[in-house]
Amino acid sequence: MTAAAAAAVAPDKAAFSQRIVALEAAADWIGLAMAFEAAPAGLRTHRSILAYVYAAVALGDAGRIEQATLIAVKTRLSRRDRVVAARRLAGAGHGTPALATLIADPDIFRDDGVLTPLGPTLRLVQGALTDQVLKTALQTVWRRFAN
């Protein structure tokens, strides 16, 4: 993208971000989901992706939850944002999407002092999983890093 093209997108990105924040504040989940889905990928920010995850979960729409998970998985989110998205998914009982969101970052289990706060998230995800093999795998990984 050229500098001129980037400059032209910037106001649109700011307006899009403001719109997403306003829709989220109003708990207009269907409006937020529709605005996010209609926006070009170049306008999407990490904040809007998290808002889309929240909207998909709030709506309970399986297709949107899958789409939000795929977007979160494919986006290079910060560890914090990835954990926030996973917590929202797991808290609503979507264990597999939550686990997928977490493990999309190979450094998610990196021991740099951030691991301990990840513990409650891992327990939440584990509790939301229905697949016993995935539950056991997550428990095993957590034990290896916790010891």
Side-chain angles (χ1 to χ4, degrees), residues 25-116:
D28 182 354
W29 305 122
I30 192 70
L32 190 154
M34 291 173 67
F36 184 89
E37 292 162 356
L43 292 183
R44 296 174 180 169
T45 63
H46 291 184
R47 173 89 164 85
S48 70
I49 291 168
L50 290 176
Y52 184 56
V53 169
Y54 280 38
V57 168
L59 293 170
D61 181 325
R64 282 190 167 120
I65 291 167
E66 181 178 349
Q67 185 62 24
T69 301
L70 288 171
I71 291 168
V73 163
K74 291 178 181 177
T75 302
R76 198 171 195 137
L77 296 173
S78 69
R79 286 175 80 190
R80 182 193 167 282
D81 287 346
R82 192 164 294 288
V83 167
V84 167
R87 287 188 65 80
R88 176 59 63 150
L89 290 161
H94 303 287
T96 301
L99 182 58
T101 299
L102 280 178
I103 65 173
D105 179 354
D107 289 333
I108 199 70
F109 295 113
R110 184 181 68 234
D111 187 2
D112 62 357
V114 180
L115 184 62
T116 303

Side-chain angles (χ1 to χ4, degrees), residues 1-14 43:
M1 179 181 293
T2 67
V9 169
D12 289 337
K13 196 169 200 171
L43 292 183

Side-chain angles (χ1 to χ4, degrees), residues 115-116 118-119 122-123 138-146:
L115 184 62
T116 303
L118 187 60
L122 294 176
R123 280 190 290 282
L138 188 58
Q139 185 177 29
T140 301
V141 167
W142 173 241
R143 274 196 211 128
R144 287 181 184 160
F145 283 93

